[in-house]
């Protein structure tokens, strides 16, 4: 610990931690937006309006965490950003295509001509799906150090399916919290199905990672046990929902966030100390300390405000979703 | 397969993205302040027409904002995918500027946008006013950081190069680099004009369809008066910005003016065809000595020509023509906004022909902004960072087919979205005339 402070590597390491935090917050917050987008396909048109209203006031700020995450990569680790974004050129383009379609169709669907609404809804779903699968694909490709070949490709595709289920899970958990009645019942059902899919995908990912890629990454048993326990608990909670007086409607969301957190810790653990697996370490890839200092000071000043007004916005739109109106 | 140059493809891709992107921030920066103005007017007069105008334009604002956000995110990724050489060499400078933009502006505007759009009935009038103000302030602060970075790339200052990487020595000098104040003012005024002509144009469209309610007229007047107020200031600001460019990037001005030879008493080339082969203008129509007078405020002042910069000056024709188109459009904006303002002031209404010309000019701010950016961005080629990094040296080494494929996808997407936006904009204008709700 003293070494880290003495040789100045605490600065790049804190930026890596900050980036991991931004990724986690992004995955949770925009994750539920994407999840709602995925599930919107399975809903009736009038349910879809409620679902989309539940994310309306938030999605824009949620998406900003992605800008922060990629921004931190660009500014704190410029060397790594060239390698990572270069290797991921195509999936990044697919994600951006999805992100654009998702973000605008959300707005267009209520403003364009009425007979075009269904088309924008389809684009909203398609955009969300493209984002989910491309992000899953990218995380897996990144974890494998951009290895090429059939086995890595299959692994990445598996992760893409896993990511879509994980986003579906958090989207459904969000809806359990924000909706009531028939839609809430449906959301519980969706959450259960997504949970099974996530469990299967995680199991296969762990198996594949252990069997196919014996690159010395050892899994931390306690972490796996915690993840399994979290999923079992979530499964039990989902069986009891919706409960009378809507008790515990927030529990699935919190448990899903725990699941995300544990998975991210596992991922980060398997990377450390690399920022590009096998190629560049966090300390090697970092920008000049004086520039990092300038950003860190700004972040420390701004972050409390940011967290403060984010809570404020969530408080204003707290509770079950009502119809969204401008006027 | 065609043998495309990957650098050229990467540039076209980035240019396509940034051209699409700039339409929306240049609208929202000023439109946010227009919305805030509507709210202040309502507060001062208690006349509900101002809230009618506010609610109508808020929806258009929301649409523009969404389009700006998604294309802006695309751009931040393309820094990494298309121009890794830039972040490698100048990440220490560009990083903090981009970081501060995200931290001080993006989150602020995105969070309060939700309250501004959907919180009207849930929060107190004060909180709603404050949210509208913070969204407007956020968009303006965001433009400050972005223009500081762009200006730094054109007129770098406050740094030293150590082992091929830039290191900051003076952050104030980096932020307030020589061209930054001029570019920021020019851009903010451009945004004001973009929003003004958009508001005036759409309101004139509603006016022509017989939708002449007080709220429509109030928005129409706001747009027209704002345009008439800003256009003379913009012409002066643009001229001063040009003088600043002459001091720091003389080759760009030489391309704008179409001047090949360094000369005293340089003529103003009104029209002509700059020919890079013969290094002269074909079919030129010139006014003697006027260029020297404008640029040096002296009939016999010396103006540097392109031949001083052979090999490291921009392609002349695009800069030359874009500059003329921008100036011409500025003149047209002046004429139409002043005529309309005069008419509205005198008669309280508009002649149909004037209303039609305002509709015709709805997107004139967009076009002027884009060609203005082409002047300054093509005008700094072949440099990405003036005298320090060539665009070609910053480009990523991707297979041309891959860039071509994604470029095609982006172009199709942007064409689709632009069509959808313009269609929806006028659909909303028609629908607003028929009933209250959207």
């Amino acid at each position: 610990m003293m070494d880290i402070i003495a040789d100045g590597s605490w600065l790049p390491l804190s930026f890596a931690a900050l980036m991991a935090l931004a990724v986690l917050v992004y995955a949770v917050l925009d994750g539920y937006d994407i999840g709602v987008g995925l599930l919107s396909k399975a809903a009736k048109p009038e349910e879809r309006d409620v679902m989309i209203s539940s994310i309306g006031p938030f999605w824009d700020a949620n998406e900003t965490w992605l800008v922060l995450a990629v921004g931190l990569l660009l500014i704190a680790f410029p060397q790594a950003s060239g390698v990572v974004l270069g290797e991921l050129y195509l999936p990044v383009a697919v994600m951006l295509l999805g992100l654009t379609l998702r973000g605008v169709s959300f707005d267009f669907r209520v403003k364009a001509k009425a007979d075009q609404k269904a088309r924008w809804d389809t684009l909203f779903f398609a955009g969300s799906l493209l984002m989910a699968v491309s992000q899953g694909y990218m995380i897996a490709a990144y974890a494998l150090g951009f290895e090429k070949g059939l086995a890595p490709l299959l692994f990445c595709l598996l992760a893409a399916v896993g990511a879509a289920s994980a986003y579906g899970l958090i989207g459904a958990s969000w809806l359990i919290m924000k909706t009531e009645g028939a839609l809430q019942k449906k959301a519980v059902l969706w959450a259960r199905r997504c949970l099974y899919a996530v469990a299967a995908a995680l199991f296969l990912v762990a198996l594949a990672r252990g069997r196919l890629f014996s690159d010395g990454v050892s899994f931390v048993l306690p972490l796996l046990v915690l993840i399994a326990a979290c999923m079992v608990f979530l499964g039990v909670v989902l069986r009891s929902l919706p409960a009378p007086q809507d008790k515990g409607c927030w529990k699935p969301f919190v448990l899903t966030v725990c699941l995300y957190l544990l998975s991210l810790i596992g991922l980060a653990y398997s990377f450390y100390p690399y920022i590009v697996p096998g190629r560049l370490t966090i300390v090697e890839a970092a920008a000049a300390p004086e520039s990092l200092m300038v950003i860190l000071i700004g972040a420390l000043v701004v972050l409390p405000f940011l967290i403060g007004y984010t809570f404020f916005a969530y408080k204003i739109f707290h509770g079950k979703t009502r119809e969204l109106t401008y006027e | 397969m065609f043998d495309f140059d990957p650098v050229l493809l990467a540039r076209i891709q980035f240019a396509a993205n940034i051209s699409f992107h700039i339409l929306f921030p240049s609208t929202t920066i000023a439109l946010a302040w227009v919305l805030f103005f509507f709210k202040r007017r309502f507060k001062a007069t208690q006349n509900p027409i101002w809230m009618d105008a506010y609610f109508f334009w808020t929806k258009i604002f929301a649409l523009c904002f969404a389009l700006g956000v998604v294309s802006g995110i695309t751009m931040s990724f393309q820094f990494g995918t298309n121009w890794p050489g830039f972040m490698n060499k100048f990440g220490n400078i560009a990083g903090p500027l981009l970081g501060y933009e995200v931290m001080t502006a993006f989150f602020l505007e995105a969070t309060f946008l939700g309250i501004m759009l959907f919180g009207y009935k849930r929060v107190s009038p004060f909180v709603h006013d404050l949210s509208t103000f913070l969204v407007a302030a956020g968009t303006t602060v965001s433009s400050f950081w972005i223009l500081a970075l762009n200006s730094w790339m054109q007129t770098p200052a406050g740094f030293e190069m150590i082992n091929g990487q830039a290191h900051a020595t003076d952050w104030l000098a980096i932020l307030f680099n020589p061209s930054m104040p001029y570019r920021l003012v020019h851009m903010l005024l451009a945004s004001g004009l973009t929003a003004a002509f958009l508001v005036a144009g759409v309101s004139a469209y509603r006016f022509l369809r017989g939708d002449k309610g007080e709220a429509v007229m109030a928005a129409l007047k706001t747009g027209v008066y704002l345009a008439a107020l800003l256009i003379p200031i913009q012409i002066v600001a643009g001229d001063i910005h040009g003088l600043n460019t002459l001091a720091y990037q003389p080759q760009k001005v030489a391309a704008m003016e179409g001047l090949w030879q360094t000369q005293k008493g340089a003529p103003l080339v009104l029209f002509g065809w700059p020919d890079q082969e013969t290094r002269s203008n074909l079919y030129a129509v010139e006014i003697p000595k006027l260029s020297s007078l404008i640029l040096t405020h002296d009939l016999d002042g010396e103006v540097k020509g392109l031949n001083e910069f052979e090999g490291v000056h921009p392609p002349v024709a695009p800069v030359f023509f874009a500059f003329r188109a921008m100036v011409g459009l500025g003149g047209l904006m002046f004429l139409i906004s002043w005529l309309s303002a005069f008419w509205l002031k005198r008669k309280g209404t508009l002649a149909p022909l004037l209303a039609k010309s305002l509709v015709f000019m709805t997107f004139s701010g967009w076009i002027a902004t884009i060609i203005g950016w082409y002047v300054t961005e093509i005008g700094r080629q072949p440099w990405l960072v003036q005298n320090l990094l060539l665009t070609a040296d910053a480009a990523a080494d991707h297979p041309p087919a891959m860039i071509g494929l994604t470029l095609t996808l982006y172009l199709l997407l942007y064409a689709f979205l632009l069509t959808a936006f313009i269609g929806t904009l006028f659909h909303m204008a028609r629908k607003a005339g028929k009933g209250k709700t959207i």
Side-chain angles (χ1 to χ4, degrees), chain A residues 75 89 288 290-291 294 309 327, chain B residues 13 59 92 95 100 108 167:
Chain A
I75 63 196
Y89 186 87
E290 76 271 6
S291 291
V294 167
Y309 62 66
E327 298 173 34
Chain B
Q13 184 175 82
K59 287 160 201 147
N92 292 330
Y100 270 81
L108 190 74
H167 287 254

Side-chain angles (χ1 to χ4, degrees), chain A residues 42-126:
Chain A
K44 291 186 210 142
E46 62 273 16
E47 291 171 338
R48 199 173 290 151
D49 289 343
V50 179
M51 290 166 70
I52 293 177
S53 292
S54 79
I55 60 174
F58 308 117
W59 76 273
D60 202 350
N62 294 346
E63 207 171 63
T64 310
W65 289 93
L66 178 65
V67 185
L68 184 67
V70 72
L72 284 171
L73 178 67
L74 279 173
I75 63 196
F77 308 102
Q79 311 271 341
S81 76
V83 180
V84 172
L85 294 176
E87 292 278 0
L88 297 176
Y89 186 87
L90 274 183
V92 163
V94 171
M95 181 190 74
L96 293 172
L97 185 73
L99 183 141
T100 305
L101 287 177
R102 192 268 310 240
V104 299
S105 47
F106 173 82
D107 249 285
F108 273 118
R109 67 186 289 279
V110 283
K111 298 190 177 94
K113 287 185 186 145
D115 59 353
Q116 292 174 354
K117 191 172 175 183
R119 225 176 304 160
W120 287 113
D121 281 350
T122 306
L123 285 177
F124 180 63
F125 165 74

